[in-house]
Amino acid sequence: MNRWLILFCAFLLFAGMLIGEDLAAVEKLAAECSMGNQEACKKLADIAKSDKDSAVREAAVEKLSDQALLADIARNDNDSDVCEAAVEKLTDKALLADIARNGNYSDVREAAVEKLMDQTVLADISRNDKSWSVRKTAVAKLTDQSALADIAKNNKEWHSFLPVKDESYSVREAAVEKLTDQDVLAEVARNDRNSDVRKTAVKKLPADHQLRQIVLASEEDVKRITDQSLIADIAKSAADLDARQVAVEKLNDQDVLAYVAKSDKEWNTNYLPPKDDSYSVREAAVKKLTDQALIAEIACTGKYYDVRELSLRALIKAPKPIGAEAIAWLQQPSKEEQSDWERNVCNALIQGIPAERWPVVLIETALFFGIGVTVPIEEPVPPGRYTISASFHGNIRSTSDVLFSETLESDGVYWIYSGVDIKEMNWHPGIKLICKGQGCASVAKNDEDIDIRAAAVKKLTDQSSLANIAVNDEEWRVREAAVGNPNLTDQTLLAEIVRNDDDEDVRVAVVGKPNLTDQALLAEIARNDDDEDVREAAVGNPNLTDQALLAEIARNDKEWNVRRAAVGNPNLTNQTLLADIAKNYLDSKIRKAAAGKLTNQALLDDIAKSAKFWDVREAAVGNPNLINQALLAEVARNDASEYVRRAAVIKLTDQTLLAEVARNDASEYVRRAAVEKLTDQALLTEIARKDAGEYVRRAAVEKLTDQTALADIARNDKDSDVREAAIKILTNQSLLADIAKNHKEWYIRMIVVEKLTDQAALADIARNDKDSDVREAAVEKLTDQALLADIARNDEWDVVRRAAVKKLTDQALLSDIAKNDKDSDVRNVAERRLKELQEK
């Protein structure tokens, strides 16, 4: 064996032994410190602050009690797990508040927030932390109604330029859940940009509040309404997208349509796809607009790119000067913040544009606004190339080319355009290219635009053309496109490129090709290339099958990502080597990858039981090849890590041992895993009633069949989620009826009513429950026409009477209610129900 390899392995073993010794030293120092040895206490503090291994620092932190020292570590350690461990030990509220406000890691700040009660501090964090998760955690602990109202109305968005849905709405929703001020709830219900928040707010308003009819309106409700004022309110504020769209389609008011087109509340960003579903609402509004001034206003200054695009598409059908009102609007001083280019486009709209120029203007505008779409050309355009200059925010200029041809020739280019390169956002709308045969080859070789050449290269099939471009094009992006083309298969040429190209991205594209099969070349690059990304691509190529080489790289490459790629290569199967890496490597990801590939039972058993790193023990226990139940039992009882114990519990089959773990393990995380595998109903009942952890109790409840026990838990558990879980499983109608009649919380009664079938119990609830929502839910399940008639005439709440009217069959009674009920909605429902019966 290579002398250097032996020395390297010895080094790894020595390093692992040192860490194990360090952990043992921490335990010893902690014991001495607890007995008053100040020197031991000082050494323990030094380890917690300065040891190079985070696991050792964390172990030391768990033994500390000095609040100032713990706060210093929570603020300054470079490992979030160590910081969290310090926070868990902190009790000083001032120090916790400082960390909750200023900690470097969001999970550390969140852990600190969990321990705070100061309403001023919590309100500050709820408003200002940059993580929505931390803000939401702070809101959950707030009781100050003024602060909750401010957050519900004004919580900041931190994701407004990311291509993912903003989560700040959940912070507002959490604040709304805790609000009691009816005026604030009404304001949120009407104005919040997110439908979930609006629905949450409106459901906390009184049952007869007008906003319920607006915000909770359904598509079917809107179809029956004729009042244009109410339809306008629904178009602006309904939570349901379909309801808003139907309302828009029934609207005639041009100002309201323009408002919806510009302001529909659903989440979207100004520049980034994908478009959300509310696009259909804004689209419906734009399509109904006829006022040229309003269309021009939206086309030039609309907030959303989809609305600007649709407005431009509408204007293309009317290429003529727009009205004086639009000119006045566009020339207002408030519009001075527009860029020069935007003002030029708007001026073109004012002045009128010849019909043959509209397709070009439309594409120019689409490019400027980042709309990467194929634009239909409705008028003939002279063939040729149009050079377009566009600006973004007035300070970045980019030139894009648009090429038109009236017909697609067999070997020619139809049209090409490239989008504006918005560098600050690191995003490009893309290239649209339609070409065939020699047309593509010509563009790939000769076009001045790099992106257009790269797009054309991807369409080539000719080996000679691809080889010429892959070797000779001066731009690396074009060469990369050529070598990445699956039609380039010449192994000799690929070898030449990977050895000689001066750009690492091009070399990565070569060595990562599935059709690169030259073992000698892959081995050479994997060992010797100067760039770690190139070596990683070569090592990870499944066509590299040399076990010895993969083992050498897994042990010796200086970069962790290359070593990990070697371990992950499916061809590395040497069990002794993988076990050595799993036990002794300092890099966690590589250790776990190696443990996950083991198949040797003895090696797996050894690692699962005795590896010094918990993450490797967990990976070994979770490896499907480890099936030793005795070993799993030992690990489930004795491993120091809750994560390892849980991994073992998941694979256990012994019910007696699972019962022991479910009762006695210190970790809620582990107990829950054990409960999920239990079958003993008596034990599950005991745990469901007595376990301290709500998640453990809920897991037990979800496996119970004892109806009496479930009813008891549904009535009495202190956690609402556990109570709801019990209700979902209850089927005994007598027990359900008792809960539906007597539970103190209205929403629990409502959930139970939905499961009731007992007509007598439903009748009692429909007459007597103090909450109108619960009565309404009961009425919807009633069949007794006499009782429905009584409720339709006499219930004090219109929503309950309306629910009863919808189920009536007595046409004379319906006619009477349609004429005489004091509420217009009830009268309308009665009229519609009567008409429905008459038409049958």
Side-chain angles (χ1 to χ4, degrees), residues 3 18 20 62 157 214 232 336 382 393 534 591 608 657 660 662 665 709:
R3 180 177 60 180
L18 285 178
E62 290 171 353
E157 293 185 36
I214 295 169
E336 289 180 356
H393 286 181
V534 179
R591 291 196 306 264
L657 178 56
E660 176 190 328
D665 198 279

Side-chain angles (χ1 to χ4, degrees), residues 475-778:
E475 292 292 339
W476 69 266
R477 281 184 289 170
V478 181
R479 299 198 305 277
E480 181 186 29
V483 299
N485 188 315
N487 295 304
L488 186 59
T489 58
D490 185 327
Q491 300 288 302
T492 303
L493 175 66
L494 292 171
E496 177 188 343
I497 294 169
V498 80
R499 289 190 178 106
N500 298 318
D501 199 284
D502 60 2
D503 188 89
E504 63 272 14
D505 291 302
V506 177
R507 300 202 305 280
V508 166
V510 173
V511 295
K513 281 176 75 77
N515 55 11
L516 183 65
T517 58
D518 186 330
Q519 286 285 307
L521 175 64
L522 285 169
E524 175 191 339
I525 301 303
R527 275 197 183 102
N528 302 322
D529 198 277
D530 291 335
D531 188 275
E532 64 184 88
D533 293 331
V534 179
R535 295 199 307 280
E536 180 183 7
V539 169
N541 191 318
N543 293 318
L544 183 61
T545 59
D546 186 331
Q547 283 268 320
L549 173 63
L550 289 168
E552 175 192 336
I553 293 170
R555 287 190 177 107
N556 299 331
D557 196 278
K558 61 185 177 182
E559 299 296 342
W560 71 268
N561 56 314
V562 182
R563 298 195 301 272
R564 185 172 65 175
V567 171
N569 187 304
N571 299 305
L572 182 60
T573 58
N574 184 304
Q575 296 291 293
T576 304
L577 171 66
L578 289 169
D580 177 53
I581 292 171
K583 291 176 72 173
N584 298 310
Y585 259 48
L586 296 180
D587 187 280
S588 172
K589 293 176 181 176
I590 296 176
R591 291 196 306 264
K592 290 191 288 185
K597 291 186 70 176
L598 284 171
T599 58
N600 182 289
Q601 189 71 45
L603 292 173
L604 273 171
D605 287 0
D606 177 56
I607 292 170
K609 183 177 178 180
S610 60
K612 54 185 167 290
F613 302 109
W614 71 265
D615 56 350
V616 176
R617 299 197 304 276
E618 181 187 29
V621 168
N623 186 314
N625 296 303
L626 193 151
I627 57 175
N628 185 337
Q629 286 288 309
L631 176 70
L632 289 169
E634 181 179 351
V635 172
R637 283 191 177 107
N638 302 321
D639 198 279
S641 167
E642 64 178 336
Y643 302 107
V644 182
R645 297 198 305 277
R646 181 180 182 275
V649 164
I650 288 171
K651 296 179 74 172
L652 282 176
T653 58
D654 184 332
Q655 287 288 308
T656 302
L657 178 56
L658 286 167
E660 176 190 328
V661 174
R663 280 195 178 105
N664 301 323
D665 198 279
S667 168
E668 180 176 345
Y669 184 61
V670 180
R671 295 198 308 278
R672 181 179 179 181
V675 164
E676 288 171 348
K677 299 201 71 178
L678 283 175
T679 58
D680 184 330
Q681 286 291 306
L683 177 57
L684 285 167
T685 301
E686 175 192 332
I687 293 169
R689 284 182 166 137
K690 296 181 179 180
D691 196 278
E694 64 188 72
Y695 295 111
V696 180
R697 296 198 307 278
R698 181 172 178 176
V701 163
E702 289 171 349
K703 300 199 72 178
L704 281 180
T705 58
D706 185 327
Q707 295 288 297
T708 304
L710 285 166
D712 177 54
I713 293 164
R715 292 186 188 100
N716 300 314
D717 196 277
K718 62 185 177 182
D719 184 83
S720 61
D721 288 339
V722 179
R723 295 196 299 273
E724 285 189 42
I727 289 167
K728 287 177 182 177
I729 301 170
L730 261 178
T731 57
N732 184 295
Q733 289 291 303
S734 174
L735 294 172
L736 285 168
D738 179 65
I739 296 170
K741 291 175 185 177
N742 299 313
H743 203 282
K744 62 183 179 180
E745 292 170 329
W746 71 269
Y747 73 91
I748 293 290
R749 300 198 304 277
M750 171 88 82
I751 293 169
V752 176
V753 163
E754 291 172 358
K755 297 196 69 177
L756 270 180
T757 58
D758 184 325
Q759 288 291 304
L762 287 167
D764 184 11
I765 294 163
R767 283 195 185 99
N768 300 316
D769 196 279
K770 61 186 177 182
D771 188 274
S772 61
D773 287 336
V774 180
R775 295 201 306 280
E776 180 185 7

Side-chain angles (χ1 to χ4, degrees), residues 31 36 139 181 207 305 355 362 422 603 608 778 797 812 837:
V139 166
D181 187 313
Y305 65 84
L362 188 57
I422 303 171
L603 292 173
W797 287 93
L837 293 171

